[in-house]
Amino acid sequence: MYLQKIRSTGFYAMKESLDKTKIPQHIAVIMDGNGRWAQQKGAMRIFGHKNAVTAVRECVEGCAELGVKFLTLYAFSTENWARPKDEVDALMELLVETIAKEVPTMMKNNIRLLSIGDVNTLPKKAHNKLKEAIELTKANSGMTVVLAISYSGRWEIREAVQSIVEKVVNKELKIEEITQEVIAANLNTKNIPDPELLIRTSGELRISNFLLWQLAYTELYFTEVLWPDFRKEHLVQAISDYQKRERRFGLTGAQVK
Ligand code: IPE
Ligand code: IPE
Ligand code: MG
């Protein structure tokens, strides 16, 4: 209790140091390091996934309190299906449990849930729970949490190419009408602004097939912290670092000043 208090005091003090006018409206997170976190404790990898739930809650709460509008969480990649069956099954089970448990909190905090990815590949139970939670929270107007599940950037781009080509073939769209806006509108993330900030935990310096189109000008932030240890303070640290950057979008420093 006492420790909890010190910790949250830390968050509130740190929060005050942020520039309120420069809070990113969309943060994307590659939640990595669950397996290693568990292994360091001599436990099974799934123990790490179970302990990732607290970090998810902290990150969602922290973002809501800071006024972030969209939070995209990379929960499961297309490539993750190739992990050992036990781990995949346990992750899917955990997904169902967590969504079911978190819906009341999302309702209370006016949070809307969305998903991106090939959700049809999910086990029926997980898919249904997800659809149910999306439906229940669809009118919430506070923050939007986007779960990337069975997602990869290349999969998403392929889907977009297919649907654009289909429109061209059906003469609903001319080739010269394929603009960047049209491509963006055919991605799973249509109507979601590109993230200003990407956070990846666990020290890995790569994108791992996440939001390949959308990250074009996103600021990248990497931390050694393993995902199950991620807390609101780490979120504030990432945003504080982001606020010190000069985003130039190809222009010169003088131009953006
Ligand atoms: C991230 O943690 C969660 C998923 C990819 C589902 P990992 O399971 O990748 O953990 P490490 O990277 O092996 O430590
Ligand atoms: C990226 O983590 C996917 C998720 C966090 C869901 P991985 O652990 O799968 O990425 P790699 O294999 O280290 O690149
Ligand atoms: Mg990993």
Side-chain angles (χ1 to χ4, degrees):
M1 181 65 190
Y2 181 59
L3 265 178
Q4 177 67 33
K5 191 142 181 263
I6 294 179
R7 240 195 19 78
S8 48
T9 309
F11 169 70
Y12 290 110
M14 285 172 79
K15 186 182 154 191
E16 289 316 307
S17 70
L18 290 177
D19 178 347
K20 305 285 169 306
T21 66
K22 274 172 70 180
I23 300 290
Q25 66 167 337
H26 183 178
I27 299 179
V29 186
I30 302 178
M31 311 185 286
D32 197 16
N34 299 350
R36 277 164 285 167
W37 184 90
Q39 276 159 349
Q40 282 176 7
K41 293 180 158 48
M44 305 280 282
R45 293 177 54 85
I46 186 65
F47 182 65
H49 298 313
K50 287 196 172 130
N51 279 277
V53 179
T54 310
V56 171
R57 209 172 285 140
E58 285 262 329
C59 190
V60 172
E61 253 181 55
C63 282
E65 287 171 44
L66 292 166
V68 174
K69 286 276 160 230
F70 293 87
L71 171 66
T72 299
L73 299 171
Y74 202 6
F76 194 84
S77 74
T78 307
E79 289 76 21
N80 290 150
W81 287 113
R83 290 191 178 191
K85 187 177 182 301
D86 283 2
E87 181 169 342
V88 172
D89 289 350
L91 275 166
M92 291 301 144
E93 195 51 48
L94 192 62
L95 182 71
V96 175
E97 268 174 40
T98 309
I99 293 175
K101 215 160 65 198
E102 296 301 318
V103 166
T105 319
M106 289 191 273
M107 292 309 291
K108 199 178 108 211
N109 296 320
N110 198 21
I111 294 171
R112 173 173 70 141
L113 184 71
L114 291 179
S115 74
I116 54 173
D118 195 0
V119 287
N120 292 316
T121 57
L122 294 174
K124 213 163 192 68
K125 200 166 148 199
H127 190 191
N128 287 340
K129 270 279 165 251
L130 182 64
K131 279 196 292 195
E132 207 178 288
I134 291 171
E135 182 60 28
L136 279 165
T137 61
K138 74 175 180 200
N140 291 349
S141 56
M143 187 171 67
T144 300
V145 173
V146 184
L147 269 190
I149 301 177
S150 192
Y151 173 88
S152 69
R154 287 185 175 181
W155 166 83
E156 182 187 38
I157 291 169
R158 175 186 176 273
E159 293 289 301
V161 169
Q162 279 193 329
S163 71
I164 291 170
V165 170
E166 202 178 311
K167 285 171 198 145
V168 171
V169 169
N170 294 336
K171 307 224 181 317
E172 292 159 29
L173 189 70
K174 297 197 184 91
I175 289 186
E176 58 275 20
E177 288 170 347
I178 306 172
T179 58
Q180 294 193 19
E181 288 71 29
V182 167
I183 295 173
N186 279 277
L187 296 171
N188 280 204
T189 51
K190 62 170 179 284
N191 302 327
I192 300 173
D194 290 342
E196 291 97 331
L197 173 63
L198 170 81
I199 300 172
R200 182 173 189 148
T201 56
S202 89
E204 304 301 351
L205 307 179
R206 54 178 171 265
I207 300 298
S208 301
N209 216 348
F210 192 38
L211 301 174
L212 296 179
W213 173 276
Q214 299 86 343
L215 294 178
Y217 268 105
T218 302
E219 295 297 328
L220 310 180
Y221 178 86
F222 298 99
T223 168
E224 293 288 327
V225 174
L226 300 173
W227 180 252
D229 288 330
F230 193 88
R231 295 295 176 268
K232 288 180 191 178
E233 288 81 348
H234 301 116
L235 175 72
V236 178
Q237 255 163 28
I239 297 175
S240 165
D241 195 274
Y242 160 84
Q243 292 188 337
K244 295 190 188 90
R245 315 250 183 117
E246 181 179 67
R247 303 189 73 203
R248 289 193 290 275
F249 301 96
L251 304 183
T252 66
Q255 281 178 298
V256 294
K257 278 227 168 62

